[in-house]
Amino acid sequence: MAFPDWVLQQKKRGYEIKCIRGNYYLYKLKSKWDPERGKARKVSGEYIGKVTPDGIVLKKKKVDASAPVFALEFGAAKLVESLSGDVLDILATHFPKDIAERIYVTAMIRLISPCPFSRVADHYATSWLSCDMPGLALSPSSITSLLDMIGNNRSAAAAFMRDTSGRSPYYLVDGTRTVTASDNIFRAERGHSHTKGFLPQINQVYVMGISKSGGVPVFYRNVAGNIPDVTALKLTLKDAGIKDATFIADTGFASADNFSLLGDIGLDYLVPLKRNTTEVDLSEVVFNEVFTYHGRAISACSITKDKHRIVVFRDEKLRSCEMADFVGRAEKANAAKIAKKRYDPAKDTLHDIATETAEKTSQFGVIIIRTSITATSSQSIYETYKLRWQIEELFDTMRNVCEQDASYMHDDTGFEAWSFIGHITLMVACMILALLKEKKLSKIWSLAGILDHLSRIYAVQVADEWKVAETTKKTRDLAAKLGLDLSIS
């Protein structure tokens, strides 16, 4: 077949290029004597790498786990171990000790260096984790059996999550869709996703505990991709065993049945309502309170109902922005009508911008909260509701740092195991984020940045002893700020 010019330009003497399913790959070319033909014939040799318009992407070389290792990644491993010792201890109460260690190490390796399960053994061989927990069976075949064991033991995974949930004053529940192409995952259904369209996916319904200092993942359930978050809420909260806390929801949750559900469970709640709700007439609201939130003026009005309360907030800056956007779109629409070649003032009715804006004025910049909490100030209700952004940060960490946006598992058992290991990875990731926030380093260091930097601290063998290799003053100062002990005991 004819290759594109950019492919032919990268062909070298002694090599050949193959086209496989639309991609191009470079192989060494050897000759082998063929006695039947009485002459040499060309045969493909070692695979070199993938041919791309930007050059040859060389294949990744696997680490020989049996080969002697004289330098190990040390810094990032020490950080995750220092923060997550309790995680390993609790794992060992629900799984056999060797299984608990393999789950823990797999999760930590995938946090430090996100990689497929098939390459966990390679990273383990070059990590300090292999010294602290030596001899773990993490080969591809061993990982396969480990995933089967985890995926078939949801009860142990759920018990672990309940034991590590702690007690948070507030809880958020939201779902994130995970795309999968496997035909053997029966819960993979086509459902709506803001970024993925209607692709086969599983809805991971997550419970997050939040406080003023930050949020932590508490519990998850995997449900079919076409099941809304609200529908899965009851069983998820029951499975998580959450009681005596405040539940913060989004606007999709507001319904009489769901409010009754929270009452039956015994949870207080903060639920935003749509601006066209019948619970309150915005045109009659009189704002009699005002406070500031992050430098923005917030007006408030509290209305007591039967066993609940409606609090209406108006963000003055948001109000101005929404009004400007509304007026701008109306002006643009009018201009487009006038610009038409066949514009007819009698037929092409223009927006009466002043009248329409006046009709919408009461809705601009408004947030309406229904809550069962009646004895707390409006400002406290607003500040508590604003904690909801933390679950979006959680999902962002899942997708962009822990690379949990798509699964390549082949069946439901594998997907459950992938989810559980990902949950542990996410738990420790949130611990690191909380530490960066506590040490006032979150504006300087991202999660990926801190792990990448610390992973360049090595333990090396000197006179048959492990020693921490030389580091820069910047790295030593960073470790001191984090309270990270870099000594080898």
Side-chain angles (χ1 to χ4, degrees):
M1 64 173 293
F3 290 157
D5 291 340
W6 61 267
V7 174
L8 295 175
Q9 290 172 2
Q10 300 181 66
K11 188 174 182 181
K12 303 176 182 178
R13 183 180 179 84
Y15 295 85
E16 70 170 338
I17 294 176
K18 294 182 180 181
C19 178
I20 303 174
R21 292 191 293 274
N23 295 313
Y24 301 94
Y25 302 92
L26 184 68
Y27 291 82
K28 279 189 176 179
L29 194 60
K30 301 187 298 184
S31 62
K32 183 178 181 180
W33 180 257
D34 187 340
E36 293 183 1
R37 298 173 60 186
K39 62 179 181 178
R41 61 182 177 87
K42 295 180 179 179
V43 294
S44 296
E46 179 188 359
Y47 166 63
I48 304 301
K50 185 176 181 180
V51 181
T52 71
D54 297 323
I56 306 296
V57 179
L58 298 177
K59 70 174 182 180
K60 294 181 179 179
K61 295 183 178 180
K62 289 190 175 182
V63 177
D64 183 359
S66 64
V69 177
F70 303 102
L72 298 172
E73 182 281 310
F74 182 77
K78 287 290 284 187
L79 177 65
V80 298
E81 283 187 297
S82 69
L83 294 174
S84 60
D86 290 345
V87 173
L88 178 57
D89 293 340
I90 298 173
L91 271 172
T93 65
H94 298 287
F95 297 91
K97 184 175 183 296
D98 65 314
I99 299 297
E101 289 182 344
R102 290 164 66 193
I103 294 172
Y104 173 80
V105 168
T106 300
M108 295 307 98
I109 284 175
R110 282 167 61 85
L111 172 60
I112 296 169
S113 302
C115 63
F117 286 121
S118 60
R119 296 196 61 218
V120 166
D122 298 341
H123 289 272
Y124 172 67
T126 57
S127 169
W128 185 252
L129 292 166
S130 63
C131 281
D132 282 344
M133 281 170 277
L136 298 183
L138 295 173
S139 66
S141 59
S142 298
I143 286 284
T144 299
S145 63
L146 176 67
L147 295 178
D148 286 342
M149 191 281 301
I150 299 169
N152 286 308
N153 199 354
R154 166 68 186 181
S155 60
F160 166 83
M161 289 188 284
R162 286 191 286 268
D163 280 355
T164 54
S165 63
R167 289 190 60 82
S168 298
Y170 309 107
Y171 288 94
L172 299 170
V173 179
D174 206 348
T176 180
R177 268 64 178 180
T178 301
V179 174
T180 176
S182 175
D183 294 332
N184 295 323
I185 298 181
F186 299 110
R187 285 173 295 181
E189 298 284 352
R190 295 184 183 275
H192 176 69
S193 171
H194 292 299
T195 57
K196 302 295 183 181
F198 285 84
L199 297 175
Q201 55 195 317
I202 290 181
N203 185 7
Q204 290 186 283
V205 182
Y206 246 97
V207 181
M208 182 178 184
I210 59 173
S211 63
K212 304 293 183 181
S213 59
V216 292
V218 170
F219 200 87
Y220 73 88
R221 278 183 69 237
N222 293 325
V223 300
N226 58 356
I227 299 297
D229 307 337
V230 171
T231 305
L233 178 67
K234 182 177 182 179
L235 290 181
T236 301
L237 291 177
K238 183 177 180 180
D239 201 7
I242 294 173
K243 297 178 180 178
D244 302 324
T246 300
F247 171 67
I248 305 175
D250 59 22
T251 51
F253 182 85
S255 72
D257 289 342
N258 289 329
F259 289 128
S260 297
L261 166 64
L262 291 177
D264 294 341
I265 297 174
L267 289 179
D268 283 326
Y269 60 82
L270 277 77
V271 178
L273 305 178
K274 294 181 179 180
R275 291 176 179 177
N276 62 353
T277 178
T278 58
E279 290 262 21
V280 61
D281 185 348
L282 292 178
S283 64
E284 296 180 0
V285 169
V286 177
F287 294 99
N288 51 15
E289 300 176 64
V290 66
F291 55 88
T292 59
Y293 178 80
H294 291 184
R296 299 162 75 121
I298 309 297
S299 302
C301 172
S302 183
I303 304 168
T304 302
K305 299 271 188 171
D306 181 27
K307 296 183 180 180
H308 69 273
R309 170 184 173 197
I310 303 295
V311 189
V312 183
F313 301 98
R314 187 173 68 196
D315 182 328
E316 301 300 338
K317 185 175 181 179
L318 178 61
R319 178 172 180 264
S320 176
C321 291
E322 288 186 354
M323 184 180 293
D325 179 68
F326 180 82
V327 173
R329 283 187 287 110
E331 289 176 338
K332 187 175 180 180
N334 283 350
K337 289 181 180 180
I338 294 173
K340 291 195 305 183
K341 290 183 178 180
R342 297 182 180 180
Y343 170 66
D344 184 348
K347 295 181 180 179
D348 296 323
T349 306
L350 299 179
H351 288 280
D352 184 345
I353 298 177
T355 301
E356 293 176 9
T357 302
E359 291 173 352
K360 287 276 190 179
T361 295
S362 62
Q363 296 186 14
F364 292 134
V366 167
I367 298 173
I368 308 170
I369 303 293
R370 171 171 167 162
T371 178
S372 60
I373 303 172
T374 58
T376 302
S377 69
S378 299
Q379 181 174 355
S380 178
I381 295 293
Y382 187 83
E383 290 173 347
T384 301
Y385 173 70
K386 282 297 183 178
L387 294 174
R388 182 171 175 79
W389 66 269
Q390 293 184 19
I391 201 162
E392 299 305 327
E393 185 179 68
L394 173 80
F395 291 154
D396 181 68
T397 302
M398 284 179 65
R399 300 183 191 106
N400 299 326
V401 180
C402 302
E403 299 187 2
Q404 293 269 111
D405 57 333
S407 170
Y408 299 95
M409 298 295 102
H410 298 299
D411 52 32
D412 284 280
T413 300
F415 189 88
E416 280 294 339
W418 176 84
S419 300
F420 182 62
I421 291 174
H423 176 77
I424 297 172
T425 298
L426 189 60
M427 285 176 61
V428 181
C430 288
M431 292 177 187
I432 298 173
L433 289 171
L435 178 64
L436 293 177
K437 185 176 180 180
E438 176 191 341
K439 302 299 182 181
K440 295 181 170 52
L441 294 170
S442 55
K443 292 184 179 180
I444 305 171
W445 291 97
S446 66
L447 175 60
I450 200 77
L451 289 173
D452 179 68
H453 187 82
L454 293 177
S455 67
R456 300 174 193 276
I457 302 174
Y458 297 97
V460 296
Q461 280 191 318
V462 178
D464 296 329
E465 291 186 11
W466 287 107
K467 301 289 183 182
V468 178
E470 299 82 355
T471 58
T472 63
K473 184 177 183 302
K474 177 183 177 181
T475 300
R476 293 194 299 272
D477 290 345
L478 175 61
K481 288 180 181 178
L482 293 171
L484 180 60
D485 181 6
L486 292 178
S487 62
I488 296 179
S489 55

